[in-house]
């Protein structure tokens, strides 16, 4: 690990991870997400289902694109209620493909519906328990620079494999690690970041 810190000082004077401290118009959206959500523990089947879907939709795109359409996604996907999305049919797929408030990608839309059905096959609380069972043991050193933050880990690889085994789609090791970061299974805020 590097010994120099790579935090940036935001316009409010707080030290943040580089992506969360941008002094730009888009930086404001990132700052709010960085400070209030990313790395905070997320529990609950529907809440984790939302994050799985959003991370899959983000694949190949900027996270800012997803953040700015998040309310559109919530509306289009029935608040990410597993039971409601699992009941979506072909008419819902066509509705979603014409919804300008979301990313209109057929493969990602059908994967989200398939993922809801896979999650619905689990009992109440089981998606939460399953995801959190892959949280690494505490004690990992805090990253000092962005270069110290991995893109995948053995835990994310194992989580992706287990989710795929249970019928989930668009959940490779990189997406699974982004999920782990976003939902607080790992704390990848840099060592000197105020949010750590």
């Amino acid at each position: 690990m590097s010994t120099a810190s790579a935090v940036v000082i935001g316009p409010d004077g707080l030290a943040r991870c580089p992506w969360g401290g941008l002094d730009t118009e888009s930086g404001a959206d990132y700052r709010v997400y960085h400070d209030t959500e990313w790395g905070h523990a997320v529990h609950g089947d529907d809440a984790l289902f939302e994050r799985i879907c959003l991370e899959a939709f983000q694949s190949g795109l900027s996270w800012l694109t997803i953040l700015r359409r998040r309310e559109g996604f919530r509306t289009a996907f029935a608040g990410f209620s597993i039971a409601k999305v699992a009941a979506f049919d072909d008419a819902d797929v066509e509705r979603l493909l014409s919804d300008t408030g979301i990313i209109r990608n057929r493969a990602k839309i059908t994967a989200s519906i398939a993922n809801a059905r896979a999650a619905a096959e689990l009992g109440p609380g089981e998606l939460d328990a399953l995801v959190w069972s892959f949280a690494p043991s505490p004690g990992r050193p805090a990253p000092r620079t962005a270069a110290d933050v991995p893109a995948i880990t053995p835990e994310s690889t194992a989580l992706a494999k287990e989710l795929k085994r249970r019928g989930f789609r668009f959940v490779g090791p990189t997406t699974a690690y982004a999920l782990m970061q976003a939902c607080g299974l790992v704390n990848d805020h840099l060592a000197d970041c105020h949010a750590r």
Side-chain angles (χ1 to χ4, degrees):
M1 288 220 164
S2 171
T3 56
S5 179
V7 294
V8 297
I9 305 303
D12 55 5
L14 294 176
R16 289 184 177 84
C17 302
W19 64 269
L22 300 172
D23 188 14
T24 62
E25 182 182 335
S26 62
D29 293 327
Y30 277 132
R31 276 193 303 280
V32 170
Y33 178 70
H34 171 275
D35 292 358
T36 64
E37 289 191 66
W38 194 75
H40 293 247
V42 173
H43 285 284
D45 292 344
D46 288 346
L48 287 165
F49 171 63
E50 174 183 2
R51 298 300 180 87
I52 290 169
C53 290
L54 294 179
E55 293 295 344
F57 272 100
Q58 186 272 328
S59 181
L61 301 171
S62 157
W63 182 245
L64 186 61
T65 300
I66 303 305
L67 279 179
R68 289 186 172 163
R69 293 180 185 213
R70 193 171 188 184
E71 289 310 314
F73 276 109
R74 285 177 172 161
T75 300
F77 283 92
F80 289 102
S81 161
I82 292 169
K84 290 178 181 177
V85 177
F88 281 10
D89 58 17
D90 291 342
D92 289 297
V93 171
E94 294 308 313
R95 172 183 58 82
L96 293 167
L97 285 169
S98 65
D99 189 334
T100 59
I102 66 168
I103 306 302
R104 296 174 292 170
N105 177 300
R106 182 178 295 274
K108 292 177 181 181
I109 288 168
T110 58
S112 295
I113 296 168
N115 291 349
R117 292 174 182 158
E121 290 185 19
L122 303 171
E126 286 187 34
L127 179 59
D128 187 296
L130 171 67
V131 170
W132 278 89
S133 73
F134 289 90
S137 301
R140 188 174 86 170
R144 306 255 344 134
T145 70
D148 297 331
V149 178
I152 62 170
T153 63
E155 294 87 359
S156 75
T157 301
L159 173 58
K161 183 177 180 180
E162 183 59 21
L163 287 170
K164 285 179 183 178
R165 187 184 76 75
R166 292 177 182 254
F168 286 78
R169 299 181 352 209
F170 263 94
V171 288
T174 302
T175 298
Y177 193 68
L179 173 73
M180 294 171 79
Q181 291 173 305
C183 295
L185 281 74
V186 295
N187 184 354
D188 277 342
H189 284 285
L190 299 185
D192 295 327
C193 175
H194 85 91
R196 189 167 181 88

